[in-house]
Amino acid sequence: MIKIKILPIILILLAMFNIACKKYLEEKPNKRISTPDKITDLQGILDNYSAMNAQYPALGEICADNYYLNDASWASSPDKQRSFYLWQKYDEVSSEWSFPYKIIFNANLIIETLPTLNLDEKLQGDADILHGQALFLRSYYHLAVAQLFAPVYSVNTAKALGIPLKLVTNVEAKSVRANVGDTYQQILNDAIKALPLLPIVAKAKYLPSKPAGYALISRINLLMGNYDQSALYADSCLQLYNSVLDYNKISATSAIPFSQFNDEVLYDCRSAVPSILAQTKAKVDASLYASYSNDDLRKVIFFKKNADNTYAFKGNYTGLSTAVLFSGIALDEVLLNRAECLIRMGKLAEGAADLNRLLAQRFKTGSYKPFIFLDQAQALTTVLLERRKELLFRNLRWGDLKRLNLDSERAITLKRTINGNIYTLSPNDKRYVLPIDKTVIMLSGMEQNP
């Protein structure tokens, strides 16, 4: 557990953010009594792990297809989670909406305060790093909101409603939804502006670094369908950092097999596990579990067997407890980004090399047989399956489903069965864009998602 010493002024600031209020986007925190006035105050904001790294929204994981529930587990879950599990309307999502915007507010506070400080020249380097890390966080959490509450980016959706882009701390400014094109462009611009300011090695993995910055830009471009750019930034990341875990050295019997800040982690953040995703309820999709071969160590490291011969997920990278999910960036994602993009660009041998580099460390020593791709369509099918098998329960699957739905050959119809009734979610269904909290809509006057 991280223990951070917070200055009194930061405690005042964060206490202000923790006041219970259902109308967050229109909340009016009194910045005048809480503005930091020293660089150590600003660093204290970033170092507060529980406020800045532990509140990533998990609604997408509830909606995704990595797991299923039996009737009893569904019935005993909260109304909101039951509704999202069945892709039914539920517009009380205050925390999933407000938590990212609280972090974005903090990032903006740092960005705005830095130029007002009378800094010694020797502190300018620290100020630049703080600026870059704040830009990274503003990009990261705007992206988290967009993945839930806006359509996937495409030429056809560029003019559709995106999300409010909060670029200043002025809480009196009216909340207005940017379009999808402008939303993603701002997210991308912030991440790119952060890059030259970020350190190659951050003082801790819960703070953004240059490799994490490259990885974030790779993720954004992948979601936007910019495959050449996604591959380029993934490559830049891998040139700076290229440590892959050997799963032969990971305990298969441990309830928490991976340590926090392990060698693959580039940027650490987490989500609290919604009760519907608890190990006692969420059963790993049977076909997904069956897709792991017996020599694949993920089959025993990622999962534990239940008494009813189903399986629960235990393989997340938080290293803390089973009550949290890893929602940060790790090197395996970057390798899979580059592998997929290279294959989409027709570079099958290079894409296979990335996939083989990763999977060789996932199989029992000496058992892995490298892929050799001759057909692009089959190569893409393979890399997308391996992406799903590697990155499950990281709050990435919902975004992947949305982008893959744009390709009719890759689109998936999701199905759930509860109490004998079958519920489906068709590709590109409007329900892939989740409802914004009704109180936010009422107070801001923004248009609700259909």
Side-chain angles (χ1 to χ4, degrees):
M1 181 65 66
I2 300 173
K3 296 181 179 179
I4 304 295
K5 181 179 180 181
I6 306 297
L7 296 171
I9 195 166
I10 305 303
L11 290 174
I12 294 171
L13 175 66
L14 296 175
M16 174 187 69
F17 288 147
N18 288 330
I19 296 172
C21 183
K22 294 182 67 177
K23 44 189 181 177
Y24 175 69
L25 253 189
E26 301 303 311
E27 233 173 294
K28 310 295 191 250
N30 189 345
K31 180 184 169 189
R32 287 175 298 178
I33 66 170
S34 57
T35 302
D37 59 4
K38 297 189 292 294
I39 197 167
T40 51
D41 294 344
L42 301 180
Q43 185 65 58
I45 294 175
L46 289 184
D47 284 342
N48 189 340
Y49 187 94
S50 62
M52 301 298 287
N53 298 76
Q55 302 189 62
Y56 195 93
L59 273 184
E61 200 59 59
I62 294 176
C63 297
D65 59 345
N66 289 320
Y67 74 107
Y68 68 97
L69 302 174
N70 60 31
D71 294 346
S73 293
W74 178 81
S76 64
S77 298
D79 286 347
K80 178 171 76 174
Q81 296 176 30
R82 287 191 299 174
S83 296
F84 280 107
Y85 178 75
L86 298 180
W87 315 297
Q88 296 178 332
K89 180 179 178 180
Y90 200 96
D91 56 4
E92 295 181 21
V93 291
S94 57
S95 60
E96 290 84 356
W97 178 268
S98 67
F99 285 169
Y101 279 111
K102 290 178 183 180
I103 296 170
I104 290 166
F105 181 95
N106 279 343
N108 285 330
L109 184 61
I110 292 169
I111 292 167
E112 291 178 4
T113 304
L114 278 169
T116 70
L117 302 182
N118 186 18
L119 296 176
D120 293 336
E121 187 175 343
K122 63 182 179 181
L123 291 177
Q124 191 56 52
D126 293 337
D128 289 343
I129 290 173
L130 283 169
H131 188 191
Q133 291 174 334
L135 286 167
F136 175 102
L137 290 168
R138 192 167 75 180
S139 173
Y140 199 78
Y141 284 93
H142 272 135
L143 183 63
V145 176
Q147 289 299 286
L148 298 177
F149 302 105
V152 62
Y153 176 87
S154 72
V155 172
N156 294 329
T157 64
K159 298 301 182 182
L161 285 174
I163 63 170
L165 295 169
K166 294 295 183 177
L167 307 180
V168 295
T169 58
N170 178 11
V171 294
E172 301 297 330
K174 185 176 177 61
S175 295
V176 178
R177 296 179 68 175
N179 65 40
V180 170
D182 290 343
T183 293
Y184 275 85
Q185 192 59 57
Q186 181 62 51
I187 289 168
L188 187 59
N189 288 347
D190 275 347
I192 291 173
K193 285 173 61 178
L195 263 183
L197 304 173
L198 293 171
I200 294 178
V201 179
K203 73 171 190 177
K205 287 194 173 185
Y206 60 83
L207 297 172
S209 64
K210 199 177 293 291
Y214 282 121
L216 174 58
I217 299 172
S218 176
R219 178 189 288 184
I220 298 166
N221 277 294
L222 183 68
L223 290 166
M224 296 176 71
N226 299 331
Y227 301 122
D228 56 341
Q229 291 298 299
S230 180
L232 178 66
Y233 282 98
D235 184 72
S236 295
C237 171
L238 292 163
Q239 288 186 38
L240 291 177
Y241 193 87
N242 201 3
S243 180
V244 179
L245 290 175
D246 180 358
Y247 277 21
N248 288 278
K249 298 177 181 178
I250 304 297
S251 170
T253 59
S254 174
I256 304 174
F258 298 102
S259 61
Q260 189 181 24
F261 311 138
N262 70 62
D263 284 349
E264 278 186 19
V265 172
L266 296 171
Y267 170 67
D268 181 90
C269 76
R270 67 182 192 235
S271 308
V273 172
S275 62
I276 205 167
L277 293 177
Q279 288 184 346
T280 54
K281 289 185 175 183
K283 301 177 186 299
V284 173
D285 178 79
S287 61
L288 175 58
Y289 178 78
S291 68
Y292 297 85
S293 74
N294 289 334
D295 288 328
D296 190 335
L297 292 167
R298 294 174 296 185
K299 196 168 189 175
V300 289
I301 293 174
F302 280 5
F303 311 107
K304 72 170 188 176
K305 193 172 185 178
N306 297 321
D308 61 356
N309 290 321
T310 60
Y311 291 87
F313 178 72
K314 68 182 179 78
N316 77 74
Y317 273 15
T318 61
L320 296 171
S321 76
T322 59
V324 291
L325 291 177
F326 181 77
S327 302
I329 307 176
L331 202 76
D332 51 356
E333 178 192 346
V334 181
L335 277 169
L336 288 162
N337 287 357
R338 191 170 71 174
E340 178 184 340
C341 293
L342 289 170
I343 288 169
R344 288 183 180 275
M345 294 160 63
K347 300 179 179 181
L348 304 189
E350 293 94 327
D354 277 344
L355 193 57
N356 293 330
R357 162 97 167 90
L358 176 66
L359 294 182
Q361 304 301 313
R362 298 319 194 225
F363 277 64
K364 294 176 183 177
T365 301
S367 68
Y368 179 65
K369 297 178 181 179
F371 284 107
I372 299 175
F373 295 136
L374 300 177
D375 177 79
Q376 185 180 29
Q378 184 56 44
L380 185 55
T381 297
T382 299
V383 75
L384 289 174
L385 174 59
E386 292 302 330
R387 180 179 179 86
R388 188 183 180 199
K389 290 160 65 175
E390 179 72 19
L391 304 178
L392 70 170
F393 293 101
R394 294 198 194 174
N395 285 301
L396 293 172
R397 179 62 176 169
W398 190 241
D400 280 346
L401 286 167
K402 289 171 73 171
R403 69 182 178 91
L404 294 174
N405 280 342
L406 298 177
D407 179 354
S408 60
E409 295 183 3
R410 303 289 167 186
I412 300 171
T413 296
L414 305 186
K415 295 182 180 180
R416 313 273 210 207
T417 302
I418 291 294
N419 295 327
N421 297 313
I422 298 175
Y423 301 81
T424 62
L425 184 68
S426 301
N428 302 309
D429 192 293
K430 290 181 180 179
R431 289 172 293 169
Y432 268 103
V433 182
L434 305 184
I436 296 170
D437 186 79
K438 64 182 181 181
T439 306
V440 171
I441 295 296
M442 179 183 68
L443 291 169
S444 67
M446 292 188 300
E447 185 176 342
Q448 178 62 282
N449 289 322

